[in-house]
Amino acid sequence: MKIAIVCYPTFGGSGVVATELGLELARRGHEIHFITYRQPVRLALLSPNVYYHEVNVPEYALFHYQPYELALSSKLVDMVKLHQIELLHVHYAIPHAYAGYMAKQMLKDEGINIPMVTTLHGTDITLVGNHPFYKPAVTFSINKSDFVTSVSHSLKDDTLKLFNIKNEIVVIPNFIELDKNKMDTAIPCQRSVMAKENEKIITHISNFRKVKRIPDVIKVFYNIQKEIPAKLMMVGDGPEKEKAELLCQELGIQDKVIFFGNSNEIDKILCLTDLFLLPSQTESFGLAALEAMACKVPVISSNSGGLAEVNFDGVSGYLSDVGNTDEMALNALKILKDEKTLELFKENAFEVAKQFDIKNILPLYEALYQKAINKYK
């Protein structure tokens, strides 16, 4: 199949999922065309089956905001005709599904019928998409997609609750490449670079937005380090980072917390990690938690959104109500204080992660693609 993938090329979960999906599809012999405004961060190497087409938005003084949706839909039309693309897979309802629909209509006028699969990831529904300014366009885009997928049952329920959706929504969860993780973790972890031998390493990875509840990460760690020697690795960047640094200074733990900024070496960082913290206000899925579990790192998280579908309470880690940092810290200490318990949770986390191996998830997408293509035959 010849497939165009439209996504955000950033460090966020949707961009990572879209890129890894495309790369694996290419390895299976499909021809994949990434169409976005910048090369995706995980698209490090191009293979014979992978192509990248940049969307350029000309700047005109007339436009207060540059019309990216217009440029994207035009680029999609051009690439479909040039490369005989058979299917559009757009990640995020806005603006991608909206632009995809416009491209479909323009192509239809030229006698080309092409199906569009839309994958919902979370903030396109629960935060941005539910805003009154965008809600009609989001509803329209979802209903005009040929097939719609959601990364969790929780997100599917939220979508049906918030929007007047007439389309069926198929749940296809996010995934992890376990083979890739095995290869990366074959290199010995040099824990001594980050912590002393007796210190446990706690990690948080996110885009440091308010929804991630970054102060809660600091508070949970503060309680942990009062009981056992520990270091906290904060990976990522965003609007809450400076506040987090100030909170560490106020609590007197700045020497125990390392702020890395964004990183392309997540696997190496997780290799050093004993426990992962994700106390988010909500997560449509919790890809960061899954990536940790695939590296044998148990997870302490909130029980909001799709996290309970990834982090199994008492098995791969523990779930707590949003904001209950005291319970999160107690659960963390249950795992960290005893080496046998820690080892058990590490193995359990990996076993749960196996369920989300890309080899199990990719066939679900391939079957849906074929169904979509057959719809227009």
Side-chain angles (χ1 to χ4, degrees), residues 83-149:
H83 299 285
Q84 290 82 52
I85 289 169
E86 300 171 87
L87 178 137
L88 306 179
H89 187 177
V90 300
H91 294 257
Y92 254 60
I94 50 171
H96 300 150
Y98 194 78
Y101 173 75
M102 293 307 299
K104 277 171 58 74
Q105 295 306 110
M106 286 188 275
L107 288 163
K108 188 176 179 180
D109 281 352
E110 298 187 37
I112 301 172
N113 289 302
I114 185 169
M116 180 174 72
V117 174
T118 297
T119 292
L120 309 176
H121 284 271
T123 52
D124 53 340
I125 296 302
T126 56
L127 294 179
V128 181
N130 194 38
H131 193 286
F133 291 171
Y134 299 113
K135 197 167 185 175
V138 173
T139 305
F140 177 86
S141 300
I142 294 173
N143 283 330
K144 290 297 181 179
S145 300
D146 293 285
F147 290 92
V148 182
T149 75

Side-chain angles (χ1 to χ4, degrees), residues 142-312:
I142 294 173
N143 283 330
K144 290 297 181 179
S145 300
D146 293 285
F147 290 92
V148 182
T149 75
S150 157
V151 298
S152 69
H153 290 280
S154 172
L155 180 58
K156 174 182 176 178
D157 292 342
D158 286 343
T159 305
L160 295 175
K161 188 189 307 177
L162 295 171
F163 300 89
N164 181 22
I165 301 302
K166 297 168 185 175
N167 246 335
E168 179 188 2
I169 300 176
V170 179
V171 176
I172 301 181
N174 286 337
F175 49 81
I176 195 74
E177 290 185 81
L178 288 180
D179 287 344
K180 175 175 174 288
N181 274 64
K182 286 177 184 176
M183 178 184 67
D184 290 345
T185 55
I187 303 171
C189 296
Q190 296 180 317
R191 285 176 56 92
S192 59
V193 175
M194 293 297 164
K196 297 175 183 176
E197 188 175 347
N198 68 326
E199 288 179 320
K200 298 300 182 189
I201 296 178
I202 321 295
T203 297
H204 171 78
I205 302 170
S206 77
N207 51 20
F208 285 59
R209 292 181 295 134
K210 279 192 174 182
V211 71
K212 302 297 180 180
R213 297 186 67 94
I214 302 300
D216 284 5
V217 176
I218 306 299
K219 290 172 187 175
V220 171
F221 174 73
Y222 177 72
N223 287 334
I224 291 172
Q225 59 85 41
K226 286 194 293 186
E227 299 291 327
I228 59 172
K231 282 281 181 70
L232 174 62
M233 299 197 290
M234 298 287 285
V235 185
D237 205 351
E240 295 292 296
K241 184 180 177 183
E242 187 176 346
K243 294 177 187 176
E245 291 171 329
L246 290 172
L247 180 57
C248 289
Q249 291 177 10
E250 290 173 14
L251 295 173
I253 56 172
Q254 63 270 24
D255 59 330
K256 298 181 180 181
V257 183
I258 304 168
F259 288 86
F260 286 89
N262 288 323
S263 174
N264 284 317
E265 298 185 311
I266 299 300
D267 293 339
K268 290 181 181 178
I269 292 168
L270 291 172
C271 174
L272 309 170
T273 301
D274 294 299
L275 191 72
F276 191 81
L277 300 181
L278 195 63
S280 307
Q281 184 73 30
T282 186
E283 291 280 348
S284 59
F285 179 82
L287 184 61
L290 179 58
E291 289 186 329
M293 290 158 56
C295 292
K296 297 188 175 182
V297 181
V299 175
I300 297 295
S301 74
S302 57
N303 56 12
S304 181
L307 279 167
E309 299 174 44
V310 183
N311 182 24
F312 296 175

